[in-house]
Amino acid sequence: MSGGLVAYAALLGGLAGLAAPRVGRRWTARPGSIRPGAATGSGAVAGAAVGAVVFAGLAAARGGDPALPAFLGLAAFGLVLAVVDLACLRLPDPLVGAAALVVVGGLAGAALSTGAPERLLGAAAGAALSFAGYVLLALLPGSRLGFGDVKLAAVLGLPLGWLGWSPLALGLLLPHLLNGVVVLVLLAGGRVRRDTPLPLGPALLAGAWLTALTA
């Protein structure tokens, strides 16, 4: 893949990551936020670094895919969603809905440009299966899964379904493995207790990103 494309994507991702805390502040600067400083300028540098890595990785792995703009658009919203979820355990519907519109538009454009509209059926099936699976998980007794997580999983099912059934399965499994590792590390370090509520959104996003890199 062209180094120029990767470098441009890294720059774009850095800017998106830099802006993510400022954009996320609209939803984190509210009563009840558990970490009111999480969306301030203190996280801007880290956000820029994460954004650069996320965008560069997608460009390197999916540079030949006409759906790359959809993946990058979702990644931009994902950076903001991760900031908000880490700060106050919320995945606001306006952000999730906007991400869905960007992905649907990007995938539709890619399908039309390549003459493969049937791939949209795979994307829709991926969203439906993700939604159904996470609804069942959310309804299990004792589940801490919120319906914001369910909605985000459905949106992430669109690009995962576009990639195919195996990537969809991997993208649904990875978030729980990643989240499990994080929980174990935090428990071992005494940072949380077993009943401490933790966000799942970042793990959902990271799992989808890793899947896109390897599909």
Side-chain angles (χ1 to χ4, degrees):
M1 180 46 53
S2 168
L5 176 61
V6 174
Y8 178 75
L11 175 60
L12 192 62
L15 293 174
L18 192 65
R22 290 182 176 274
V23 177
R25 190 180 306 163
R26 174 180 175 184
W27 286 275
T28 57
R30 292 184 176 187
S33 293
I34 61 174
R35 290 170 53 195
T40 65
S42 62
V45 174
V50 171
V53 170
V54 168
F55 274 52
L58 289 173
R62 312 228 58 86
D65 190 335
L68 177 60
F71 283 85
L72 294 179
L74 176 57
F77 279 99
L79 293 170
V80 181
L81 285 164
V83 166
V84 175
D85 204 18
L86 287 169
C88 57
L89 300 178
R90 294 180 65 233
L91 291 167
D93 285 345
L95 287 175
V96 176
L101 290 176
V102 167
V103 176
V104 169
L107 294 182
L112 292 175
S113 67
T114 57
E118 67 277 0
R119 294 192 69 177
L120 290 177
L121 295 177
L129 288 173
S130 297
F131 179 77
Y134 274 82
V135 164
L136 290 176
L137 290 176
L139 294 177
L140 289 176
S143 175
R144 298 180 184 176
L145 198 69
F147 273 85
D149 300 313
V150 173
K151 295 169 190 174
L152 178 59
V155 174
L156 294 174
L158 289 165
L160 292 173
W162 170 273
L163 295 175
W165 294 114
S166 293
L168 175 63
L170 180 61
L172 293 177
L173 175 64
L174 268 180
H176 301 283
L177 296 177
L178 295 172
N179 198 56
V181 171
V182 170
V183 170
L184 288 176
V185 170
L186 292 175
L187 284 171
R191 301 290 298 276
V192 299
R193 300 181 304 180
R194 290 184 180 275
D195 59 348
T196 301
L198 295 172
L200 183 62
L204 288 170
L205 293 160
W209 178 70
L210 289 172
T211 300
L213 297 191
T214 58

